[in-house]
Amino acid sequence: KYLGFSTAAATIAASCEMPVRRSIPYLQRPDNVIPGVANYYAQYSSSVSQAIAVVNTPQVITYNTVEIENGISFSGGQITVQYSGIYEFSFSPQIEKTQGGTAVNVDFFIRKNGFDVIRTDSIVGLVSNSSIQLPFVSLTLELLQNDFIELLFASSSTFVQITAEPAKTTPFVAPAAPSVIATLKNIGVAAVAYTSTSGRSGQTGTA
């Protein structure tokens, strides 16, 4: 025995050693990697057209396809985050007016947990019928765990819709065009206020 340990015990201890894992720092950090910040992301789309059902009534845009997701999920038109943080939400709807000669506006805005998010309204003006427009909007939001967001649109005309197009083979081959593509990605950590009752500056701490 050596120092109270048998050679058998030493052999067992040696066999239980954890493998050595070495971390190698980046020589050049990738653009999509922030040290200490987990990468939560998702992209959803819809393969069906969605028309305004009732004039001047905000309507939730829904999705039916998961393009990619990690740490985020969706149900219908609700996109839910599993982790608190600062997120960038971007969307691109393929919008058109199918008939009616009067120019109309279409509003797109965000709701968080069922409430409108201030200063998120974007307005697209439609003049010509069957002329598709493809706006792109990007917003930064602070979201807590299990918060959900929804994208809504509204117009004074029921001839307004976001339009999906199938894949085509003529006059050239092209993939399908979703009626909307929405992306949510984590870009930072949420600010958290910490309090303490111990330590150098706490109630029981020492100077």
Side-chain angles (χ1 to χ4, degrees):
K1 295 184 178 180
Y2 302 94
L3 298 178
F5 291 92
S6 67
T7 55
T11 302
I12 294 173
S15 67
C16 295
E17 290 181 358
M18 295 296 290
V20 176
R21 295 182 179 179
R22 296 179 175 85
S23 59
I24 302 175
Y26 291 119
L27 294 177
Q28 183 174 357
R29 178 177 63 83
D31 291 338
N32 63 338
V33 174
I34 303 175
V37 177
N39 286 329
Y40 306 125
Y41 50 83
Q43 185 172 92
Y44 305 112
S45 65
S46 174
S47 61
V48 298
S49 298
Q50 302 177 50
I52 292 290
V54 182
V55 298
N56 300 323
T57 302
Q59 178 175 322
V60 176
I61 291 175
T62 60
Y63 317 97
N64 62 8
T65 303
V66 176
E67 305 294 350
I68 190 171
E69 66 178 9
N70 178 47
I72 300 171
S73 60
F74 92 99
S75 177
Q78 293 185 357
I79 300 177
T80 303
V81 299
Q82 299 174 22
Y83 304 94
S84 300
I86 307 300
Y87 288 81
E88 179 185 1
F89 177 63
S90 57
F91 61 92
S92 185
Q94 192 162 253
I95 185 77
E96 73 169 326
K97 181 162 63 72
T98 57
Q99 58 181 295
T102 305
V104 296
N105 288 338
V106 188
D107 292 56
F108 294 89
F109 59 92
I110 306 301
R111 282 181 181 164
K112 180 172 74 171
N113 300 330
F115 297 94
D116 296 349
V117 178
I118 60 173
R119 293 184 295 277
T120 61
D121 192 19
S122 298
I123 302 173
V124 179
L126 299 178
V127 179
S128 302
N129 295 336
S130 300
S131 177
I132 294 177
Q133 295 192 36
L134 190 66
F136 175 83
V137 179
S138 178
L139 301 163
T140 301
L141 305 168
E142 181 173 355
L143 301 174
L144 300 179
Q145 185 179 29
N146 295 323
D147 278 353
F148 67 87
I149 60 174
E150 297 169 299
L151 173 62
L152 295 92
F153 74 140
S155 178
S156 59
S157 172
T158 54
F159 299 133
V160 168
Q161 67 177 34
I162 54 173
T163 302
E165 296 286 352
K168 60 184 178 183
T169 57
T170 58
F172 53 86
V173 176
S179 60
V180 62
I181 298 175
T183 303
L184 185 64
K185 60 182 179 181
N186 181 223
I187 58 174
V189 295
V192 179
Y194 293 96
T195 59
S196 175
T197 57
S198 63
R200 295 182 63 87
S201 59
Q203 296 177 5
T204 61
T206 57

